Amino acid sequence: MDGSRVDDTMIEVTHHAKGVTRFFEERLGAKLNNPQWSWGAIDPVFNRVFLRVWADNQIEDKTGVKFEVYWKQTRSKSPGYPQRLKHLEAIKNGALGIGILCEAFDSKTFPRKIKTFDDEQLLLLGKLSEDDDCKYAHIVRRFPISELQKLDNSLQNSAIDDIPVAPIGSEVPGKAPTVGSRYQRDDKVRQFIIEQAKGVCEYCGELGFLLPDGNHYLEAHHIIALAKQGPDTIDNVIALCPSDHREAHYGERKVKLENEMIEIIKRRKNLHQSVSR
């Protein structure tokens, strides 16, 4: 690994703090299994995974900034390695991944000890990737810890918009009365789009993760949100892997993704029309 960095895009600690164990439990609501060797923790209530990441382990490539989060040639017999694999698997299976940026007293020694960490800015993790040496978590964006509850609520309240004769759907979806209100979605539209994709994300072209029944998991996404008067029809719904779905909602590139997904739907529609002639 060359470990190349681009200085003006380095993600740095914005606020120096100590006491990471207490921070996990009191501020993040996710208790470390073992303060001595745990590198992260899971909050099952909101289905989110918090990972400690090291400031000197970030790399920029053509996809953006990513962090080394697992080393395949393990440096010790620390229980942190198998636990980290479980945490990464949870993210891969749809849990929200969030990074806590840390700095080490000495980056050349192992095991490392935390000198300081950022308790004001968190990292929203996106896609996971790997090469022969490492597993990586790609960064969608930074966000202040004050937005954590807002982010959780958004994830909790936005349905997984997860689709032969194509269903008609509805140009003006109705609202179902609840404590507040939420849009009624035609489940036949969602099911039709998911089935037509055959397990392959329509945006990145990758298979969704494998389900116990042998199918690959995808989620259906309304490109123009129903809350913005987007129709609940197959021409506004796309099948996405969990990572692309999350980025489409919360990522820095969400406007760009929306435009690209509109073009994908147009090509899909033209293809279906030409086949049906």
Side-chain angles (χ1 to χ4, degrees):
M1 241 176 316
D2 61 12
S4 58
R5 311 284 197 278
V6 177
D7 291 340
D8 60 358
T9 58
M10 287 280 285
I11 299 175
E12 298 178 347
V13 173
T14 59
H15 186 259
H16 299 269
K18 295 182 179 180
V20 70
T21 300
R22 187 173 179 180
F23 175 73
F24 264 77
E25 185 170 355
E26 296 183 1
R27 297 292 302 280
L28 303 179
K31 187 176 182 180
L32 295 168
N33 283 355
N34 188 307
Q36 299 301 316
W37 52 258
S38 289
W39 303 342
I42 294 178
D43 173 10
V45 175
F46 288 103
N47 192 29
R48 56 189 184 181
V49 178
F50 294 99
L51 302 181
R52 287 174 9 193
V53 296
W54 297 105
D56 62 299
N57 284 156
Q58 60 183 298
I59 297 170
E60 185 183 19
D61 59 18
K62 61 182 180 180
T63 65
V65 177
K66 61 185 179 182
F67 279 81
E68 300 168 2
V69 291
Y70 183 84
W71 300 267
K72 295 183 178 180
Q73 292 186 347
T74 56
R75 307 169 187 179
S76 73
K77 295 182 179 180
S78 170
Y81 284 100
Q83 186 186 63
R84 175 56 62 94
L85 285 178
K86 291 181 180 179
H87 290 170
L88 294 177
E89 187 65 20
I91 294 173
K92 183 179 178 182
N93 289 343
L96 179 67
I98 298 174
I100 295 87
L101 189 64
C102 303
E103 290 181 351
F105 277 103
D106 186 349
S107 61
K108 297 180 181 179
T109 62
F110 193 85
R112 292 180 169 190
K113 293 185 178 181
I114 296 176
K115 178 181 179 181
T116 185
F117 67 94
D118 198 328
D119 67 343
E120 290 190 347
Q121 297 284 327
L122 300 175
L123 305 174
L124 181 61
L125 307 181
K127 288 185 178 181
L128 301 177
S129 63
E130 62 182 286
D131 56 25
D132 292 338
D133 299 310
C134 286
K135 293 180 182 290
Y136 305 91
H138 295 248
I139 304 304
V140 176
R141 65 180 176 90
R142 296 188 74 160
F143 66 94
I145 192 172
S146 59
E147 290 184 7
L148 182 58
Q149 186 62 41
K150 178 181 177 182
L151 187 66
D152 289 335
N153 288 338
S154 297
L155 286 170
Q156 193 175 42
N157 294 333
S158 65
I160 297 179
D161 302 329
D162 301 338
I163 222 185
V165 178
I168 297 174
S170 173
E171 288 291 340
V172 185
K175 291 183 179 180
T178 59
V179 175
S181 63
R182 61 188 296 266
Y183 287 93
Q184 293 178 319
R185 292 167 170 82
D186 188 337
D187 191 61
K188 291 180 181 179
V189 172
R190 178 195 64 80
Q191 185 177 355
F192 179 81
I193 290 298
I194 295 297
E195 289 177 354
Q196 293 297 301
K198 301 186 185 303
V200 178
C201 175
E202 291 189 88
Y203 181 74
C204 70
E206 298 291 332
L207 284 170
F209 61 80
L210 193 62
L211 293 167
D213 63 3
N215 292 316
H216 290 270
Y217 180 79
L218 294 176
E219 299 171 356
H221 170 63
H222 286 80
I223 301 173
I224 307 300
L226 301 185
K228 296 181 179 179
Q229 287 71 56
D232 186 23
T233 66
I234 63 171
D235 292 334
N236 187 45
V237 179
I238 187 169
L240 300 177
C241 62
S243 179
D244 286 336
H245 191 192
R246 188 173 296 117
E247 186 174 4
H249 278 290
Y250 308 109
E252 186 178 48
R253 301 190 306 137
K254 63 182 181 181
V255 174
K256 182 175 184 292
L257 264 60
E258 178 179 298
N259 293 331
E260 291 176 348
M261 289 176 186
I262 289 173
E263 292 303 314
I264 291 172
I265 294 296
K266 287 180 180 178
R267 292 196 296 270
R268 183 179 73 191
K269 184 177 181 179
N270 291 337
L271 178 62
H272 288 173
Q273 288 176 341
S274 64
V275 170
S276 62
R277 288 172 184 168

